[in-house]
Amino acid sequence: MEGSEDAGVYKLNDKTALIFTLDFFTPIVDSPYHFGKIAAANSMSDIYAMGGKPLLALNILCIPANLSHIAVEEILKGGLEKINEAGAYLLGGHSIQDKEPKFGLAVLGIAKPEDIKRNNTAKPKDLLYLTKPLGVGILTTALKRKKIKEEDLKEVTKGMEKLNNLSSELALKYNANALTDVTGFGLIGHISEMLRENLGVEIFFSKIPFYEDSLKFAKEYIFPGGAYSNQKFYENFLKVKGNFEDEKIFALFSPETSGGLLCAISEEKKEEFEKEAKKKNQEVFLIGRFIEGEGIFLKD
């Protein structure tokens, strides 16, 4: 608990550790099918963030009485496709009637005990990589406010639906010193969980990837409500070195859904790690470096 880890881990024996997590939320896109895929990918992300592989899943479904059977089927269909893609098995689930739809999974994963990755074990001089762009919360809020149409969200929807399996495999192969994913606490919130006494990090704004148009809407201050609570809770970690527009800094607090992994990779493994990622067609963005000190230092 002291490390705010992504999932619970139970060592079954010397060869096997179980990883257990759950997540569910309300729709962030209009399509029931894509909502199902996104929610399932998001639920399994914490397994990958701990260095494991999903094994078993249970559906968690809340449905209004007036929601059509077709919509429910599409949600479950999308979720099942992602579970199958992950190589896991759906064993059932539970549904209740609720005022608004909610969907997600309880997921049991598996890993070798020595492969379990913690979020706060990076070392000074480690390189910090991010594996998906930011801006999900901004763009989905723009959709809710009818600033954009769902067809304008194809890129971000595809990103949310993407599993973090390849990123996790790369982190294991190149022995990442720390690993976590970027979700509801935003980039700053999740990086802060990677820090400890006498360990800080420099991040470079120009290296941070954003989905197209997300910073444009940030200028209009179109942010989800969670961005404000994240800023209030995590702003003391952030030390800004340079001149940045307020909305750019605020975008780093914005919640992400089914975001990428944050990987701490030793500097000597940089070229091999990046080469392998390119070979596997997996994006990796070098956004910073861990340092001796305390806090998150934002630079140009």
Side-chain angles (χ1 to χ4, degrees):
M1 291 295 180
E2 70 278 0
S4 300
E5 291 292 350
D6 294 297
V9 179
Y10 180 81
K11 184 178 177 181
L12 195 62
N13 52 49
D14 289 340
K15 294 183 178 180
T16 307
L18 301 179
I19 309 170
F20 200 26
T21 186
L22 67 84
D23 205 333
F24 62 101
F25 50 74
T26 55
I28 58 171
V29 293
D30 293 330
S31 164
Y33 171 67
H34 289 292
F35 169 51
K37 293 176 75 173
I38 292 166
N42 181 75
S43 297
M44 291 186 285
S45 181
D46 285 341
I47 302 293
Y48 294 124
M50 299 295 295
K53 293 183 178 180
L55 179 65
L56 306 173
L58 295 172
N59 284 328
I60 302 168
L61 179 65
C62 304
I63 48 175
N66 62 350
L67 189 66
S68 74
H69 290 296
I70 294 175
V72 175
E73 289 172 4
E74 287 294 297
I75 292 171
L76 297 177
K77 177 184 176 183
L80 180 58
E81 285 187 13
K82 282 288 131 179
I83 294 168
N84 289 340
E85 183 183 335
Y89 298 92
L90 178 66
L91 297 188
H94 188 68
S95 61
I96 63 170
Q97 187 172 310
D98 202 355
K99 292 181 179 179
E100 60 181 332
K102 302 176 183 71
F103 178 65
L105 304 174
V107 190
L108 182 68
I110 195 167
K112 295 177 182 179
E114 63 268 24
D115 286 343
I116 294 293
K117 295 298 179 182
R118 303 293 297 269
N119 62 5
N120 62 353
T121 46
K123 300 176 181 179
K125 297 184 180 180
D126 279 353
L127 303 177
L128 179 61
Y129 286 90
L130 174 64
T131 66
K132 287 185 186 180
L134 304 180
V136 170
I138 297 169
L139 291 170
T140 54
T141 301
L143 176 67
K144 290 177 182 178
R145 296 186 187 179
K146 303 187 185 304
K147 296 282 187 177
I148 53 175
K149 298 178 181 178
E150 185 143 336
E151 50 264 34
D152 298 324
L153 287 183
K154 288 182 180 179
E155 180 189 10
V156 69
T157 298
K158 185 178 179 181
M160 288 188 286
E161 292 174 356
K162 184 178 181 180
L163 297 177
N164 280 324
N165 54 344
L166 290 179
S167 304
S168 184
E169 289 170 13
L170 282 166
L172 285 173
K173 182 172 181 178
Y174 291 93
N175 196 28
N177 288 323
L179 192 65
T180 190
D181 62 348
V182 182
T183 51
F185 297 142
L187 182 70
I188 299 301
H190 289 286
I191 289 179
S192 73
E193 293 174 345
M194 302 184 80
L195 307 183
R196 60 181 188 274
E197 188 176 359
N198 297 321
L199 181 71
V201 66
E202 292 178 331
I203 58 174
F204 302 93
F205 191 91
S206 61
K207 302 294 184 182
I208 298 172
F210 286 90
Y211 286 111
E212 187 177 358
D213 290 335
S214 54
L215 289 181
K216 181 187 79 172
F217 288 114
K219 286 185 178 181
E220 300 177 36
Y221 262 76
I222 296 176
F223 290 102
Y228 297 89
S229 53
N230 285 346
Q231 184 191 41
K232 184 177 180 180
F233 196 83
Y234 295 111
E235 64 182 344
N236 290 337
F237 287 94
L238 187 62
K239 307 176 193 306
V240 179
K241 304 292 183 180
N243 296 315
F244 296 93
E245 294 90 342
D246 290 343
E247 71 273 4
K248 287 186 177 180
I249 297 174
F250 199 52
L252 304 181
F253 292 100
S254 185
E256 303 294 322
T257 299
S258 194
L261 298 185
L262 286 166
C263 311
I265 302 293
S266 298
E267 191 171 23
E268 59 267 22
K269 297 177 182 177
K270 177 181 185 294
E271 288 188 14
E272 290 180 78
F273 177 75
E274 292 180 359
K275 184 178 179 180
E276 179 93 4
K278 186 175 182 180
K279 182 179 177 181
K280 292 183 178 295
N281 199 29
Q282 170 60 55
E283 292 181 312
V284 292
F285 304 93
L286 176 56
I287 65 168
R289 179 189 300 269
F290 288 91
I291 59 172
E292 292 181 358
E294 295 186 7
I296 301 168
F297 298 86
L298 179 64
K299 299 185 175 182
D300 291 329

